Amino acid sequence: MPVSSDLPDRRRRRRLAARHAERHNSHRVGWLRAAVLGANDGTISVSSLVVGIAASGASRDAVLISAIAATVAGALSMAAGEYVSVQSQADTEGADLAKERHELATDPAGELAELVEIYEARGLDHDLAVAVAEQLSQHDALAAHARDELGLTEILRARPVQAALASAASFAVGACVPLATLLVASPQHLARSTTVSALLALALFGALSARAGGASVLRASLRLLIWGAIAMGITAAVGRLFGAVV
């Protein structure tokens, strides 16, 4: 009897363990967004530059020097832009938390009432909403308001340095595709070879980012292929039109 009576509890524990073992992808949002943006930008922008300059009739050395300069400048620009952008988000989050901290210190009853209203709006009855708000406030009132009133969580918190490093590194990785193509392709087919290698790389980056984020691989790859082809096609047309290094 003791063994059989313990079975429901063990099944319940196994179900809870399985539920907690589920894999989610939202914790990757911060660095994944920056990494995908950087890799795509590195491949598309440097490849487009190579295609445009090659289409103008410039020498391989001129194209290579321009591509290297674009890689360095682009990586630094992406890092700086990403840091400033995400830091602005972090500053805003910090200001909101400071305001909540002040309100909790000066008007705890009013802040508790805010939580009750939030939970009632989400479907809890009044008594349960009050009980939940009181318990969460006793545990960590600021965290409760950050999560439920401001929508701020540890998973989605702004991380400027992480975003800047991910963006710069991924830009450089993406730019390596046209740079490597320049070193191995024949001078007569620089534009064509760069276009093909860039599109293949974009399809791969799209697939990898989709797998990491749990999204559709085919949709992500096609999206990058289409926009990459448009960017390089327009740049090649500009290079041929003006017949000079752009």
Side-chain angles (χ1 to χ4, degrees):
M1 282 299 291
V3 174
S4 61
S5 63
D6 189 46
L7 283 178
D9 290 336
R10 282 189 288 178
R11 292 196 187 101
R12 191 180 305 110
R13 287 195 295 268
R14 281 199 296 269
R15 286 197 299 268
L16 289 173
R19 193 175 302 131
H20 286 296
E22 291 176 354
R23 297 182 61 185
H24 298 284
N25 301 296
S26 51
H27 65 285
R28 300 172 176 170
V29 168
W31 66 263
L32 182 59
R33 181 188 66 83
V36 171
L37 176 63
N40 296 341
D41 196 17
T43 300
I44 293 175
S45 61
V46 178
S47 295
S48 297
L49 180 72
V50 168
V51 169
I53 297 177
S56 73
S59 66
R60 183 207 292 268
D61 289 342
V63 177
L64 181 60
I65 292 172
S66 299
I68 293 174
T71 299
V72 175
L76 295 176
S77 176
M78 288 290 292
E82 194 71 22
Y83 180 84
V84 171
S85 174
V86 180
Q87 184 60 56
S88 298
Q89 177 185 343
D91 291 342
T92 302
E93 292 176 359
D96 285 342
L97 288 175
K99 180 179 179 181
E100 285 299 319
R101 192 178 290 109
H102 174 73
E103 291 175 348
L104 284 168
T106 57
D107 186 18
E111 292 301 292
L112 181 64
E114 281 187 352
L115 282 183
V116 172
E117 291 178 2
I118 290 171
Y119 299 143
E120 286 181 328
R122 293 180 180 177
L124 300 184
D125 61 52
H126 179 73
D127 291 339
L128 182 57
V130 171
V132 171
E134 288 177 345
Q135 290 191 29
L136 289 178
S137 296
Q138 291 172 4
H139 175 68
D140 191 337
L142 182 60
H145 281 273
R147 179 182 61 253
D148 297 321
E149 182 180 352
L150 303 177
L152 303 179
T153 65
E154 182 64 24
I155 290 176
L156 301 179
R157 185 170 59 87
R159 294 178 174 84
V161 175
Q162 182 190 67
L165 292 176
S167 183
S170 57
F171 184 97
V173 170
C176 285
V177 174
L179 288 175
T181 304
L182 278 173
L183 296 176
V184 300
S186 62
Q188 296 81 11
H189 302 97
L190 282 182
R192 185 178 303 170
S193 300
T194 301
T195 300
V196 172
S197 63
L199 291 177
L200 291 174
L202 288 173
L204 177 61
F205 291 152
L208 292 176
S209 64
R211 286 293 299 274
S216 169
V217 171
L218 179 60
R219 187 179 304 166
S221 298
L222 286 176
R223 183 168 55 237
L224 290 182
L225 280 174
I226 291 171
W227 285 107
I230 291 173
M232 286 182 284
I234 293 175
T235 311
V238 172
R240 290 194 180 94
L241 178 63
F242 290 97
V245 176
V246 291

